[in-house]
């Protein structure tokens, strides 16, 4: 099972079943009898996301639809597949978001925006309305930390402003406010700083999207 999902602890949703089945033969099947996941895989996905089985399957088919020639319908052997960023970024939830590439980079294993199914489920789980604000804040910080150095520095703020304004500001207008120019070190929320709280920036992807359409 996938590393990024496995590293985060999320509460099991009510209604989830008990101990994992160990029988691959008891794989989850859809109406067409196509085996997609084993019970163990679905249990793990439920444990590591905020989704029900039905929601996980719905998201899987959306992932598969992005690249049907690439993504198999049988995931019981955990195929080594990544959907290119160009397809991920074209999804309705992301295509108009100025941070879409950065979001995909943060959630992808290699930081290149190309996503495994685990990366994909992880991203939607964090973006969902069920994810707690602290978790969203943690990822918001990572997204704003463009150079991945653990600080929100002036350069990060310039990148943020450039994306929010879609590159329409002049060079002078680009300069961050003086009190924001010194690098910040995370001091709050277990080593994380929610930039949206401090700069008045409230990008819509932090506040939650509807993942059920
Ligand atoms: Ca930084």
């Amino acid at each position: 099972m996938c590393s990024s999902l496995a590293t985060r602890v999320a509460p099991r949703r009510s209604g989830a079943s008990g101990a994992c089945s160990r029988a691959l033969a008891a794989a989850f099947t859809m109406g067409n009898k196509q085996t997609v996941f084993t019970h163990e895989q679905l249990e793990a996905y439920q444990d590591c996301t905020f989704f029900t089985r039905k929601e996980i399957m719905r998201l899987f088919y959306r992932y598969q639809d992005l690249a049907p020639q690439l993504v198999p319908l049988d995931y019981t052997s955990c195929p080594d597949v990544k959907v290119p960023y160009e397809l991920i970024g074209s999804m309705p939830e992301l295509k108009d978001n100025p941070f879409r590439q950065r979001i995909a980079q943060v959630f992808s294993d290699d930081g290149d925006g190309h996503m495994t199914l685990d990366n994909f489920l992880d991203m939607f789980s964090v973006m969902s309305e069920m994810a707690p604000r602290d978790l969203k804040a943690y990822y918001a910080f990572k997204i704003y930390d463009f150079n991945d150095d653990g600080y929100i520095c002036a350069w990060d703020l310039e990148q943020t402003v450039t994306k929010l304004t879609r590159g329409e500001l002049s060079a002078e207008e680009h300069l961050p406010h003086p009190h924001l120019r010194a690098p910040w070190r995370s001091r709050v929320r277990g080593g994380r700083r929610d930039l949206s709280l401090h700069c008045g920036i409230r990008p819509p992807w932090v506040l939650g999207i509807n993942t059920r359409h």
Side-chain angles (χ1 to χ4, degrees):
M1 183 59 52
C2 340
S3 57
S4 58
L5 283 169
T7 56
R8 196 181 67 251
V9 176
R12 178 183 285 275
R13 301 282 301 282
S14 60
S17 59
C20 299
S21 165
R22 300 200 177 277
L24 292 183
F28 183 81
T29 57
M30 299 300 288
N32 60 3
K33 305 301 181 187
Q34 171 66 52
T35 299
V36 179
F37 300 116
T38 66
H39 274 302
E40 289 174 322
Q41 286 175 303
L42 274 174
E43 290 273 348
Y45 282 138
Q46 283 184 273
D47 285 344
C48 298
T49 68
F50 297 96
F51 296 132
T52 64
R53 289 188 175 212
K54 186 176 179 181
E55 290 164 342
I56 290 165
M57 293 308 300
R58 185 183 299 129
L59 282 168
F60 167 75
Y61 283 116
R62 291 194 63 194
Y63 180 80
Q64 205 269 339
D65 279 346
L66 288 173
Q69 76 288 0
L70 198 64
V71 181
L73 284 168
D74 180 354
Y75 253 68
T76 56
S77 59
C78 295
D80 183 18
V81 170
K82 289 184 178 179
V83 168
Y85 161 71
E86 292 72 21
L87 298 173
I88 299 289
S90 69
M91 298 184 71
E93 292 87 347
L94 292 175
K95 66 183 178 66
D96 296 322
N97 191 315
F99 294 90
R100 59 188 178 279
Q101 186 167 18
R102 182 63 189 153
I103 293 171
Q105 289 171 344
V106 164
F107 282 96
S108 60
D109 284 342
D110 298 327
D112 53 11
H114 307 321
M115 288 194 168
T116 65
L117 175 62
D118 291 16
N119 300 155
F120 184 82
L121 292 175
D122 212 10
M123 177 181 71
F124 272 95
S125 181
V126 172
M127 294 169 75
S128 76
E129 63 268 28
M130 291 85 78
R133 187 172 178 79
D134 278 0
L135 185 62
K136 290 178 181 291
Y138 170 75
Y139 279 96
F141 185 93
K142 289 173 71 73
I143 289 165
Y144 285 127
D145 181 16
F146 282 85
N147 55 4
D148 299 315
D149 66 353
Y151 292 84
I152 300 299
C153 59
W155 189 81
D156 293 324
L157 291 175
E158 286 195 46
Q159 302 305 305
T160 299
V161 170
T162 298
K163 290 189 176 300
L164 286 173
T165 60
R166 300 181 190 275
E168 294 178 352
L169 293 184
S170 66
E172 291 74 22
E173 290 171 323
H174 260 262
L175 289 175
H177 191 280
H179 83 276
L180 295 178
R181 290 179 186 169
W184 294 348
R185 184 63 177 171
S186 309
R187 296 194 187 95
V188 297
R189 300 191 179 193
R192 304 184 291 269
R193 181 186 285 271
D194 181 357
L195 186 63
S196 65
L197 297 177
H198 295 268
C199 297
I201 299 171
R202 295 167 62 83
W205 49 266
V206 170
L207 302 180
I209 60 171
N210 182 5
T211 59
R212 293 177 170 172
H213 59 71

